[in-house]
């Protein structure tokens, strides 16, 4: 009697596992189809984000290959599965903000470089190359 109950429970577990895996496969196929339909509806020029965080403008779709354009005009080829988000805006800084930061960074870098190289000392205490030679002796 115990063997029959054990076999019945084992059969019920196998049926449940088969049913859940089948429904999961259907769900995955449905999600893939939705993604394909979504990519087919994308218009050229829309922003697209990949799973690795790359933002590019949509150019073309060729089977499972998506062509994205970088901000400098280069085209990159991506697998369809790598597309994470369609639409939206990339987190780009404003051009005026980036230019102001670049000039501030350049000024800091030149001051740090001159101090590291000892150029700051040359300008403050020594006036010519002859004086440098005398100090080295």
């Amino acid at each position: 009697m115990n063997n029959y109950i054990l076999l019945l429970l084992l059969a019920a577990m196998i049926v449940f596992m088969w049913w859940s895996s089948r429904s999961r496969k259907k769900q995955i196929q449905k999600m893939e189809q939705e993604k394909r339909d979504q990519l087919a509806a994308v218009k050229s020029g829309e922003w697209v984000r990949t799973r690795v965080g790359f933002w590019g403008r949509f150019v073309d779709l060729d089977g499972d290959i998506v062509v994205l354009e970088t901000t400098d005009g280069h085209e990159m080829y991506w697998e369809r599965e790598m597309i994470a988000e369609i639409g939206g805006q990339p987190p780009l800084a404003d051009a005026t903000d980036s230019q102001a930061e670049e000039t501030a960074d350049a000024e800091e870098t030149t001051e740090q470089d001159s101090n590291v190289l000892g150029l700051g000392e040359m300008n403050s205490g020594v006036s010519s190359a002859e004086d440098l030679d005398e100090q080295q002796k």
Side-chain angles (χ1 to χ4, degrees):
M1 182 86 158
N2 286 336
N3 291 337
Y4 293 120
I5 294 175
L6 185 61
L7 287 175
L8 185 62
L9 286 175
L10 184 62
M13 280 181 40
I14 290 173
V15 168
F16 177 74
M17 287 174 33
W18 173 77
W19 177 76
S20 69
S21 70
R22 186 170 179 247
S23 63
R24 179 70 180 149
K25 285 179 184 177
K26 283 184 178 180
Q27 184 180 17
I28 289 172
Q29 287 176 349
K30 181 181 175 185
M31 288 173 52
E32 287 178 357
Q33 186 60 39
E34 287 175 358
K35 190 69 150 186
R36 286 179 198 257
D37 294 343
Q38 188 179 20
L39 276 172
V42 175
K43 297 174 185 159
S44 184
E46 283 190 60
W47 285 103
V48 175
R49 184 178 61 88
T50 64
R51 293 181 192 262
V52 294
F54 172 78
W55 283 91
R57 290 195 182 266
F58 179 81
V59 176
D60 192 20
L61 177 66
D62 186 20
D64 282 345
I65 302 296
V66 178
V67 181
L68 300 179
E69 183 180 40
T70 62
T71 55
D72 60 355
H74 291 90
E75 290 185 353
M76 299 178 74
Y77 300 96
W78 293 85
E79 291 283 334
R80 179 187 52 82
E81 291 84 19
M82 290 299 293
I83 304 302
E85 178 183 344
I86 297 172
Q89 290 295 321
L92 299 176
D94 292 337
T96 56
D97 294 341
S98 63
Q99 288 175 353
E101 290 176 9
E102 287 176 9
T103 56
D105 289 342
E107 290 174 5
E108 286 181 22
T109 306
T110 54
E111 290 176 15
Q112 291 173 353
D113 289 344
S114 63
N115 290 336
V116 169
L117 297 174
L119 298 175
E121 297 171 6
M122 282 180 52
N123 293 337
S124 62
V126 180
S127 60
S128 68
E130 293 174 0
D131 292 337
L132 276 175
D133 290 337
E134 289 177 19
Q135 283 183 354
Q136 288 178 353
K137 293 178 185 177

